[in-house]
Coordinates of all heavy atoms in Angstrom, one line a residue:
Y56 N 0.4 -21.9 -22.3 CA 1.4 -20.8 -22.2 C 0.8 -19.5 -22.8 O 0.9 -18.4 -22.2 CB 2.7 -21.1 -22.8 CG 3.7 -20.0 -22.9 CD1 4.4 -19.6 -21.8 CD2 3.8 -19.2 -24.0 CE1 5.2 -18.5 -21.8 CE2 4.7 -18.1 -24.1 CZ 5.4 -17.8 -23.0 OH 6.2 -16.7 -23.0
H57 N 0.3 -19.6 -24.0 CA -0.2 -18.4 -24.7 C -1.4 -17.8 -23.9 O -1.6 -16.5 -23.9 CB -0.6 -18.7 -26.1 CG 0.6 -19.1 -26.9 ND1 1.6 -18.2 -27.3 CD2 1.0 -20.3 -27.4 CE1 2.5 -18.8 -28.0 NE2 2.2 -20.1 -28.1
V58 N -2.3 -18.6 -23.4 CA -3.4 -18.1 -22.6 C -2.9 -17.3 -21.4 O -3.4 -16.2 -21.1 CB -4.4 -19.2 -22.2 CG1 -5.4 -18.8 -21.2 CG2 -5.0 -19.8 -23.4
F59 N -2.0 -17.9 -20.7 CA -1.4 -17.3 -19.5 C -0.8 -16.0 -19.9 O -0.9 -14.9 -19.2 CB -0.4 -18.2 -18.8 CG -0.2 -18.0 -17.4 CD1 -1.1 -18.6 -16.5 CD2 0.8 -17.2 -16.9 CE1 -0.9 -18.4 -15.1 CE2 0.9 -17.0 -15.5 CZ 0.1 -17.6 -14.6
Q60 N 0.0 -16.0 -21.0 CA 0.6 -14.7 -21.5 C -0.4 -13.7 -21.9 O -0.2 -12.5 -21.6 CB 1.6 -15.0 -22.6 CG 2.4 -13.8 -23.0 CD 3.3 -13.4 -21.9 OE1 4.0 -14.2 -21.2 NE2 3.4 -12.1 -21.7
A61 N -1.5 -14.1 -22.4 CA -2.5 -13.1 -22.8 C -3.1 -12.4 -21.5 O -3.3 -11.2 -21.6 CB -3.7 -13.8 -23.5
F62 N -3.2 -13.2 -20.4 CA -3.7 -12.5 -19.2 C -2.6 -11.6 -18.6 O -2.9 -10.5 -18.1 CB -4.1 -13.6 -18.2 CG -5.4 -14.2 -18.5 CD1 -5.5 -15.6 -18.5 CD2 -6.5 -13.5 -18.8 CE1 -6.7 -16.3 -18.8 CE2 -7.7 -14.1 -19.2 CZ -7.8 -15.5 -19.1
R63 N -1.4 -12.0 -18.8 CA -0.2 -11.1 -18.4 C -0.3 -9.8 -19.2 O 0.1 -8.8 -18.7 CB 1.1 -11.8 -18.6 CG 1.4 -12.9 -17.6 CD 2.8 -13.4 -17.9 NE 3.2 -14.5 -17.0 CZ 3.8 -15.6 -17.4 NH1 4.1 -15.8 -18.6 NH2 4.1 -16.6 -16.5
D64 N -0.6 -9.9 -20.4 CA -0.7 -8.8 -21.3 C -1.9 -7.9 -21.1 O -2.1 -6.9 -21.8 CB -0.6 -9.2 -22.8 CG 0.8 -9.8 -23.1 OD1 1.8 -9.6 -22.3 OD2 0.9 -10.5 -24.1
G65 N -2.8 -8.3 -20.2 CA -4.0 -7.5 -19.9 C -5.3 -7.9 -20.6 O -6.3 -7.2 -20.5
Y66 N -5.3 -9.0 -21.3 CA -6.6 -9.5 -21.9 C -7.5 -9.9 -20.9 O -7.1 -10.4 -19.8 CB -6.3 -10.7 -22.9 CG -5.7 -10.3 -24.2 CD1 -4.4 -10.0 -24.3 CD2 -6.5 -10.3 -25.4 CE1 -3.8 -9.7 -25.5 CE2 -6.0 -10.0 -26.6 CZ -4.6 -9.7 -26.7 OH -4.1 -9.3 -27.9
T67 N -8.8 -9.7 -21.1 CA -9.9 -10.2 -20.2 C -10.3 -11.6 -20.5 O -10.0 -12.1 -21.6 CB -11.1 -9.3 -20.3 OG1 -11.7 -9.4 -21.6 CG2 -10.8 -7.8 -20.1
V68 N -11.0 -12.2 -19.6 CA -11.5 -13.5 -19.8 C -12.4 -13.6 -21.1 O -12.3 -14.5 -21.9 CB -12.3 -14.0 -18.6 CG1 -13.1 -15.3 -18.9 CG2 -11.4 -14.3 -17.4
D69 N -13.3 -12.6 -21.2 CA -14.1 -12.5 -22.4 C -13.4 -12.4 -23.7 O -13.7 -13.1 -24.7 CB -15.1 -11.4 -22.3 CG -16.2 -11.6 -21.2 OD1 -16.5 -12.7 -20.9 OD2 -16.7 -10.6 -20.7
E70 N -12.3 -11.6 -23.7 CA -11.5 -11.5 -24.9 C -10.8 -12.8 -25.3 O -10.8 -13.2 -26.4 CB -10.4 -10.4 -24.7 CG -11.0 -9.0 -24.7 CD -10.1 -7.9 -24.3 OE1 -9.2 -8.2 -23.5 OE2 -10.2 -6.8 -24.8
V71 N -10.2 -13.5 -24.3 CA -9.5 -14.8 -24.5 C -10.5 -15.8 -24.9 O -10.3 -16.6 -25.8 CB -8.7 -15.2 -23.2 CG1 -8.1 -16.6 -23.5 CG2 -7.6 -14.2 -22.9
N72 N -11.7 -15.8 -24.3 CA -12.8 -16.7 -24.7 C -13.2 -16.5 -26.2 O -13.3 -17.5 -26.9 CB -14.0 -16.6 -23.8 CG -15.2 -17.4 -24.3 OD1 -16.1 -16.8 -24.8 ND2 -15.1 -18.7 -24.1
A73 N -13.3 -15.3 -26.6 CA -13.7 -15.0 -28.0 C -12.6 -15.5 -29.0 O -13.0 -16.0 -30.1 CB -13.9 -13.5 -28.2
I74 N -11.4 -15.4 -28.6 CA -10.3 -15.8 -29.5 C -10.1 -17.3 -29.5 O -9.9 -17.9 -30.5 CB -9.0 -15.1 -29.1 CG1 -9.1 -13.6 -29.2 CG2 -7.8 -15.7 -29.8 CD1 -7.9 -12.9 -28.6
T75 N -10.2 -18.0 -28.3 CA -9.8 -19.4 -28.2 C -11.0 -20.3 -28.1 O -10.9 -21.5 -28.3 CB -9.0 -19.6 -26.9 OG1 -9.8 -19.3 -25.8 CG2 -7.7 -18.8 -26.9
Q76 N -12.2 -19.8 -27.7 CA -13.4 -20.6 -27.5 C -13.2 -21.6 -26.3 O -13.9 -22.6 -26.2 CB -13.8 -21.4 -28.7 CG -14.2 -20.5 -29.9 CD -15.3 -19.6 -29.6 OE1 -16.4 -20.0 -29.1 NE2 -15.1 -18.3 -29.8
I77 N -12.2 -21.3 -25.4 CA -12.0 -22.1 -24.2 C -13.1 -21.6 -23.2 O -13.4 -20.4 -23.1 CB -10.6 -21.8 -23.6 CG1 -9.5 -22.4 -24.6 CG2 -10.5 -22.5 -22.2 CD1 -8.1 -22.0 -24.2
H78 N -13.7 -22.6 -22.5 CA -14.8 -22.3 -21.6 C -14.3 -21.2 -20.5 O -13.2 -21.3 -20.0 CB -15.2 -23.5 -20.9 CG -16.5 -23.4 -20.2 ND1 -16.7 -22.8 -19.0 CD2 -17.8 -23.8 -20.6 CE1 -18.0 -22.8 -18.7 NE2 -18.7 -23.4 -19.7
P79 N -15.2 -20.2 -20.3 CA -14.8 -19.2 -19.3 C -14.5 -19.7 -17.9 O -13.7 -19.1 -17.2 CB -16.1 -18.3 -19.3 CG -16.7 -18.5 -20.6 CD -16.4 -19.9 -21.0
W80 N -15.1 -20.8 -17.5 CA -14.9 -21.4 -16.2 C -13.4 -21.7 -16.1 O -12.7 -21.3 -15.1 CB -15.7 -22.6 -16.0 CG -15.4 -23.3 -14.7 CD1 -16.1 -23.0 -13.5 CD2 -14.5 -24.3 -14.4 NE1 -15.5 -23.8 -12.5 CE2 -14.6 -24.6 -13.0 CE3 -13.6 -25.0 -15.2 CZ2 -13.8 -25.6 -12.4 CZ3 -12.8 -25.9 -14.6 CH2 -12.9 -26.3 -13.2
F81 N -12.8 -22.3 -17.1 CA -11.4 -22.7 -17.1 C -10.5 -21.4 -17.1 O -9.6 -21.3 -16.4 CB -11.1 -23.6 -18.2 CG -9.6 -24.0 -18.3 CD1 -9.1 -24.9 -17.5 CD2 -8.8 -23.4 -19.3 CE1 -7.8 -25.2 -17.5 CE2 -7.5 -23.8 -19.4 CZ -7.0 -24.7 -18.5
L82 N -11.0 -20.5 -18.0 CA -10.2 -19.2 -18.1 C -10.1 -18.4 -16.8 O -9.1 -17.8 -16.5 CB -10.8 -18.4 -19.3 CG -10.6 -19.0 -20.7 CD1 -11.3 -18.1 -21.7 CD2 -9.1 -19.1 -21.0
E83 N -11.2 -18.4 -16.1 CA -11.2 -17.7 -14.8 C -10.2 -18.3 -13.8 O -9.5 -17.5 -13.1 CB -12.6 -17.8 -14.1 CG -13.7 -17.0 -14.8 CD -13.5 -15.5 -14.5 OE1 -12.8 -15.1 -13.6 OE2 -14.2 -14.7 -15.2
H84 N -10.0 -19.6 -13.8 CA -9.0 -20.2 -13.0 C -7.6 -19.9 -13.4 O -6.7 -19.7 -12.6 CB -9.2 -21.8 -12.9 CG -10.5 -22.1 -12.2 ND1 -10.5 -22.1 -10.8 CD2 -11.7 -22.5 -12.6 CE1 -11.7 -22.5 -10.4 NE2 -12.5 -22.7 -11.5
V85 N -7.4 -19.9 -14.7 CA -6.1 -19.5 -15.2 C -5.8 -18.1 -14.9 O -4.7 -17.7 -14.5 CB -6.0 -19.8 -16.8 CG1 -4.7 -19.3 -17.3 CG2 -6.2 -21.2 -17.1
K86 N -6.8 -17.2 -15.1 CA -6.6 -15.8 -14.8 C -6.3 -15.6 -13.3 O -5.5 -14.8 -12.9 CB -7.8 -15.0 -15.2 CG -7.6 -13.5 -14.8 CD -8.4 -12.6 -15.7 CE -8.2 -11.1 -15.4 NZ -7.4 -10.7 -14.4
E87 N -6.9 -16.4 -12.4 CA -6.7 -16.3 -11.0 C -5.2 -16.6 -10.7 O -4.6 -15.9 -9.9 CB -7.6 -17.2 -10.2 CG -7.5 -17.1 -8.7 CD -8.5 -18.0 -8.0 OE1 -9.6 -18.2 -8.5 OE2 -8.1 -18.6 -7.0
L88 N -4.7 -17.6 -11.3 CA -3.3 -18.0 -11.2 C -2.4 -16.9 -11.7 O -1.4 -16.5 -11.0 CB -2.9 -19.3 -11.9 CG -3.5 -20.6 -11.2 CD1 -3.2 -21.8 -12.1 CD2 -2.9 -20.8 -9.9
C89 N -2.7 -16.3 -12.8 CA -1.9 -15.2 -13.3 C -2.0 -14.0 -12.3 O -1.0 -13.3 -12.1 CB -2.5 -14.8 -14.7 SG -1.5 -13.5 -15.5
D90 N -3.2 -13.7 -11.8 CA -3.3 -12.6 -10.8 C -2.4 -12.9 -9.6 O -1.8 -12.0 -9.0 CB -4.7 -12.4 -10.4 CG -5.6 -11.9 -11.5 OD1 -5.0 -11.4 -12.5 OD2 -6.8 -12.0 -11.4
W91 N -2.4 -14.2 -9.1 CA -1.6 -14.6 -8.0 C -0.1 -14.4 -8.3 O 0.7 -14.0 -7.5 CB -1.9 -16.0 -7.5 CG -2.8 -16.0 -6.4 CD1 -4.1 -16.0 -6.4 CD2 -2.4 -15.8 -5.0 NE1 -4.6 -15.9 -5.1 CE2 -3.6 -15.8 -4.2 CE3 -1.2 -15.8 -4.4 CZ2 -3.5 -15.7 -2.9 CZ3 -1.1 -15.7 -3.0 CH2 -2.3 -15.6 -2.2
E92 N 0.3 -14.8 -9.5 CA 1.7 -14.6 -9.9 C 2.1 -13.1 -9.8 O 3.1 -12.8 -9.3 CB 1.9 -15.1 -11.4 CG 3.3 -14.9 -11.8 CD 3.5 -15.3 -13.3 OE1 3.0 -14.5 -14.1 OE2 4.1 -16.3 -13.6
H93 N 1.2 -12.3 -10.3 CA 1.5 -10.8 -10.2 C 1.6 -10.4 -8.8 O 2.5 -9.6 -8.4 CB 0.4 -10.0 -11.0 CG 0.6 -8.6 -10.9 ND1 1.6 -7.9 -11.7 CD2 0.0 -7.6 -10.2 CE1 1.5 -6.7 -11.5 NE2 0.6 -6.4 -10.6
K94 N 0.7 -10.8 -7.9 CA 0.7 -10.5 -6.5 C 2.0 -10.9 -5.9 O 2.6 -10.1 -5.1 CB -0.5 -11.1 -5.8 CG -0.6 -10.8 -4.3 CD -1.8 -11.5 -3.7 CE -1.9 -11.2 -2.3 NZ -3.2 -11.7 -1.7
L95 N 2.4 -12.1 -6.2 CA 3.7 -12.6 -5.6 C 4.9 -11.8 -6.1 O 5.8 -11.5 -5.3 CB 3.9 -14.1 -5.9 CG 2.9 -15.0 -5.2 CD1 3.0 -16.4 -5.9 CD2 3.2 -15.1 -3.8
S96 N 4.9 -11.4 -7.4 CA 6.0 -10.7 -7.9 C 6.1 -9.3 -7.4 O 7.2 -8.7 -7.3 CB 5.9 -10.6 -9.4 OG 4.9 -9.8 -9.9
Q97 N 5.0 -8.7 -6.9 CA 4.9 -7.4 -6.4 C 5.2 -7.4 -4.9 O 5.4 -6.3 -4.3 CB 3.6 -6.7 -6.7 CG 3.3 -6.5 -8.1 CD 4.4 -5.7 -8.8 OE1 4.7 -4.6 -8.4 NE2 4.9 -6.2 -9.9
S98 N 5.2 -8.5 -4.2 CA 5.3 -8.6 -2.8 C 6.8 -8.4 -2.4 O 7.7 -8.9 -3.0 CB 4.9 -10.0 -2.3 OG 5.1 -10.1 -0.9
S99 N 7.0 -7.5 -1.4 CA 8.3 -7.2 -1.0 C 8.9 -8.4 -0.1 O 10.1 -8.5 -0.1 CB 8.3 -6.0 -0.2 OG 7.5 -6.1 1.0
A100 N 8.1 -9.2 0.5 CA 8.5 -10.3 1.3 C 7.5 -11.5 1.2 O 6.3 -11.3 1.2 CB 8.7 -9.9 2.8
L101 N 8.1 -12.6 1.1 CA 7.2 -13.8 1.0 C 7.0 -14.3 2.4 O 7.7 -15.0 3.0 CB 7.9 -14.9 0.1 CG 7.1 -16.1 -0.3 CD1 5.9 -15.7 -1.1 CD2 7.9 -17.1 -1.1
T102 N 5.9 -13.9 2.9 CA 5.5 -14.2 4.3 C 5.0 -15.7 4.4 O 4.6 -16.2 3.4 CB 4.4 -13.3 4.8 OG1 3.2 -13.5 4.0 CG2 4.8 -11.8 4.8
P103 N 5.1 -16.3 5.6 CA 4.6 -17.6 5.7 C 3.1 -17.8 5.2 O 2.8 -18.8 4.5 CB 4.7 -17.9 7.2 CG 5.8 -17.1 7.6 CD 5.7 -15.8 6.8
K104 N 2.3 -16.8 5.5 CA 0.9 -16.9 5.1 C 0.8 -16.8 3.6 O 0.0 -17.6 3.0 CB 0.1 -15.7 5.7 CG -1.4 -15.7 5.4 CD -2.1 -14.5 6.0 CE -3.5 -14.6 5.6 NZ -4.3 -13.4 6.1
L105 N 1.5 -16.0 2.9 CA 1.5 -15.8 1.5 C 2.1 -17.1 0.8 O 1.5 -17.6 -0.2 CB 2.3 -14.6 1.1 CG 2.2 -14.1 -0.4 CD1 0.7 -13.8 -0.7 CD2 3.0 -12.9 -0.6
L106 N 3.1 -17.6 1.4 CA 3.7 -18.9 0.9 C 2.7 -20.0 1.0 O 2.6 -20.8 0.0 CB 5.0 -19.2 1.7 CG 5.7 -20.5 1.3 CD1 6.1 -20.5 -0.1 CD2 6.8 -20.8 2.2
R107 N 2.0 -20.2 2.1 CA 1.0 -21.3 2.3 C -0.1 -21.1 1.2 O -0.5 -22.1 0.6 CB 0.4 -21.2 3.7 CG 1.1 -22.1 4.7 CD 0.3 -22.3 5.9 NE -0.1 -21.0 6.6 CZ 0.7 -20.3 7.4 NH1 1.9 -20.7 7.6 NH2 0.3 -19.1 7.9
E108 N -0.6 -19.9 1.0 CA -1.6 -19.7 0.1 C -1.2 -20.0 -1.4 O -1.9 -20.6 -2.2 CB -2.1 -18.2 0.2 CG -3.5 -18.0 -0.5 CD -4.6 -18.8 0.1 OE1 -4.7 -19.0 1.3 OE2 -5.4 -19.3 -0.7
A109 N 0.0 -19.6 -1.7 CA 0.6 -19.9 -3.0 C 0.7 -21.4 -3.3 O 0.4 -21.9 -4.3 CB 1.9 -19.1 -3.2
K110 N 1.2 -22.1 -2.2 CA 1.4 -23.5 -2.4 C 0.0 -24.2 -2.5 O -0.1 -25.2 -3.3 CB 2.2 -24.1 -1.2 CG 3.6 -23.6 -1.0 CD 4.4 -24.0 -2.2 CE 4.9 -25.5 -2.0 NZ 5.7 -26.0 -3.1
K111 N -1.0 -23.7 -1.8 CA -2.3 -24.3 -1.9 C -2.8 -24.1 -3.4 O -3.6 -24.9 -3.8 CB -3.3 -23.6 -1.0 CG -3.2 -24.1 0.4 CD -4.3 -23.3 1.3 CE -4.1 -23.6 2.7 NZ -5.1 -22.8 3.5
R112 N -2.4 -23.0 -4.0 CA -2.9 -22.8 -5.4 C -2.1 -23.5 -6.4 O -2.3 -23.4 -7.6 CB -2.9 -21.3 -5.6 CG -3.9 -20.6 -4.7 CD -3.9 -19.1 -4.9 NE -4.8 -18.4 -4.0 CZ -6.1 -18.3 -4.1 NH1 -6.7 -18.9 -5.1 NH2 -6.8 -17.7 -3.2
G113 N -1.1 -24.2 -6.0 CA -0.3 -25.1 -6.9 C 1.0 -24.5 -7.4 O 1.6 -25.1 -8.3
F114 N 1.5 -23.5 -6.8 CA 2.8 -22.9 -7.2 C 3.9 -23.8 -6.7 O 3.9 -24.2 -5.5 CB 3.0 -21.5 -6.7 CG 2.2 -20.5 -7.5 CD1 0.9 -20.1 -7.1 CD2 2.8 -19.8 -8.5 CE1 0.2 -19.2 -7.8 CE2 2.1 -18.9 -9.2 CZ 0.8 -18.5 -8.9
S115 N 4.8 -24.2 -7.6 CA 5.9 -25.1 -7.2 C 7.0 -24.2 -6.5 O 7.0 -23.0 -6.7 CB 6.5 -25.8 -8.4 OG 7.1 -24.9 -9.2
D116 N 7.9 -24.8 -5.9 CA 9.1 -24.1 -5.3 C 9.8 -23.3 -6.4 O 10.2 -22.2 -6.2 CB 10.0 -25.0 -4.5 CG 9.3 -25.6 -3.3 OD1 8.4 -25.0 -2.8 OD2 9.8 -26.6 -2.8
A117 N 10.0 -24.0 -7.5 CA 10.8 -23.4 -8.6 C 10.0 -22.2 -9.2 O 10.7 -21.1 -9.4 CB 11.0 -24.4 -9.7
S118 N 8.7 -22.3 -9.3 CA 8.0 -21.2 -9.9 C 7.9 -20.0 -8.9 O 8.0 -18.8 -9.3 CB 6.6 -21.6 -10.3 OG 5.8 -22.0 -9.2
L119 N 7.8 -20.3 -7.6 CA 7.9 -19.3 -6.6 C 9.2 -18.6 -6.6 O 9.3 -17.3 -6.5 CB 7.6 -19.9 -5.2 CG 6.2 -20.2 -4.9 CD1 6.1 -21.0 -3.6 CD2 5.3 -19.0 -4.9
A120 N 10.3 -19.3 -6.7 CA 11.6 -18.7 -6.8 C 11.7 -17.8 -8.0 O 12.3 -16.7 -7.9 CB 12.7 -19.8 -6.8
R121 N 11.2 -18.2 -9.1 CA 11.3 -17.4 -10.3 C 10.4 -16.2 -10.2 O 10.9 -15.1 -10.5 CB 10.8 -18.2 -11.5 CG 10.8 -17.5 -12.9 CD 10.2 -18.3 -14.0 NE 9.0 -18.9 -13.7 CZ 7.8 -18.3 -13.8 NH1 7.7 -17.0 -14.1 NH2 6.7 -18.9 -13.5
V122 N 9.2 -16.3 -9.7 CA 8.3 -15.2 -9.6 C 8.8 -14.1 -8.6 O 8.7 -12.9 -8.8 CB 6.9 -15.6 -9.3 CG1 6.0 -14.5 -9.0 CG2 6.3 -16.4 -10.5
T123 N 9.3 -14.6 -7.5 CA 9.7 -13.7 -6.4 C 11.1 -13.3 -6.5 O 11.6 -12.5 -5.7 CB 9.4 -14.3 -5.0 OG1 10.2 -15.5 -4.9 CG2 8.0 -14.6 -4.8
R124 N 11.9 -13.9 -7.4 CA 13.3 -13.7 -7.6 C 14.1 -13.9 -6.4 O 15.0 -13.1 -6.0 CB 13.5 -12.3 -8.2 CG 12.9 -12.1 -9.5 CD 13.1 -10.7 -10.1 NE 12.5 -10.7 -11.4 CZ 11.6 -9.7 -11.7 NH1 11.3 -8.8 -10.8 NH2 11.0 -9.7 -12.9
Q125 N 13.8 -15.0 -5.6 CA 14.5 -15.3 -4.4 C 15.2 -16.6 -4.6 O 14.9 -17.4 -5.3 CB 13.5 -15.3 -3.2 CG 12.9 -14.0 -2.9 CD 12.0 -14.0 -1.7 OE1 11.9 -15.1 -1.0 NE2 11.4 -12.9 -1.4

C-alpha cells in the first residue's frame, strides 16, 4: 500500500528504490498500475477497449468502480 501511495504522491521508481531497496523491476510494474489507475480516474467514459485493457492488467470490478466512481 505504501509503495503504491508513494507513486500516487509523485515519487519516482529510483526514489522508492532508494528508500525501500525493492528491486526496480517490481517497482516499474507497480508504477505502471498506479499510472493506469490515474488514467482510469481521469477518463470521462469507461469504453469497452479501456475496460478490457484494465481487466488484462488485473483491475477487479470493485477497484474499477472505485477508481472510475461508477
